[in-house]
Structure formats: structure tokens, C-alpha cells
Amino acid sequence: MLNFSVSLILSLVMIFCGGWGFVSYHKHLLNSLLSLEFMMLGIFLLLGMNVSGVGSEIYICLFFLTLGVCEGALRLSLLVLIVRSHGNDYFKSFNMLEC
């Protein structure tokens, strides 16, 4: 198993890479959603590492993982809805004036 400092650096790198991907690759909606999910995995790793170091209280990690899964399902359903209504997931094709 990895020691604490390597896991901390790995989780922070995952969070920053996900944030960088979210900011820089915003041509497609799917790229943005995948980078947000990568950030969530980094935060989950960081949270799990901190909670396991404190004690045996791991229920907050399960709660966070459940919220992350629900959020991912909402993102996927939003992506499917947008692709069905607009035909693609380009941000340039979205117009706020359309109903």
C-alpha cells in the first residue's frame, strides 16, 4: 500500500489535472463531464485517505461515493438529453434563446 505522502500527492495531482481539463478542454460537454468525474475521484481518494487515518469511521466515504454516483448519473442523463435534442454535444451549438 502507498504511504500517506504519495497518496496525498497522487490525489492532489488528480484534482488539479481534472480542474485543468475542465478549464482548457471545453469544446465538448463529455470532456467537461469526464474531467469533473476525475476531480471527484481525486477528492474521494483524499477523503478516504484522511478518514481511514483518523479511525474506523468510514461511513462518510460511502456517503460521498453515493453522492458522486448520483451526480454522475444526473450528468449522463443530461448528456443524453442534450444529444437527443441538439444532435451533438458541442458547446457552440447550444443557444440559450431556444426553447
Side-chain angles (χ1 to χ4, degrees), residues 31-43:
N31 289 341
S32 299
L33 295 178
L34 284 174
S35 63
L36 285 174
E37 197 65 33
F38 193 62
M39 286 175 60
M40 287 292 286
L41 285 174
I43 293 170

Side-chain angles (χ1 to χ4, degrees), residues 59-73:
Y59 294 114
I60 190 143
C61 288
L62 293 175
F63 181 70
F64 185 75
L65 187 63
T66 305
L67 289 179
V69 167
C70 292
E71 185 181 357

Side-chain angles (χ1 to χ4, degrees), residues 24-99:
S24 63
Y25 298 119
H26 55 273
K27 185 176 182 181
H28 293 280
L29 181 63
L30 183 61
N31 289 341
S32 299
L33 295 178
L34 284 174
S35 63
L36 285 174
E37 197 65 33
F38 193 62
M39 286 175 60
M40 287 292 286
L41 285 174
I43 293 170
F44 176 69
L45 178 65
L46 186 66
L47 181 70
M49 189 176 49
N50 286 336
V51 168
S52 68
V54 171
S56 63
E57 188 66 37
I58 198 80
Y59 294 114
I60 190 143
C61 288
L62 293 175
F63 181 70
F64 185 75
L65 187 63
T66 305
L67 289 179
V69 167
C70 292
E71 185 181 357
L74 280 171
R75 289 178 188 163
L76 185 62
S77 64
L78 180 67
L79 179 68
V80 168
L81 178 74
I82 287 173
V83 167
R84 285 188 181 181
S85 65
H86 292 291
N88 56 17
D89 66 336
Y90 291 126
F91 277 120
K92 290 183 179 179
S93 68
F94 302 152
N95 189 0
M96 289 301 208
L97 297 176
E98 291 180 5
C99 291

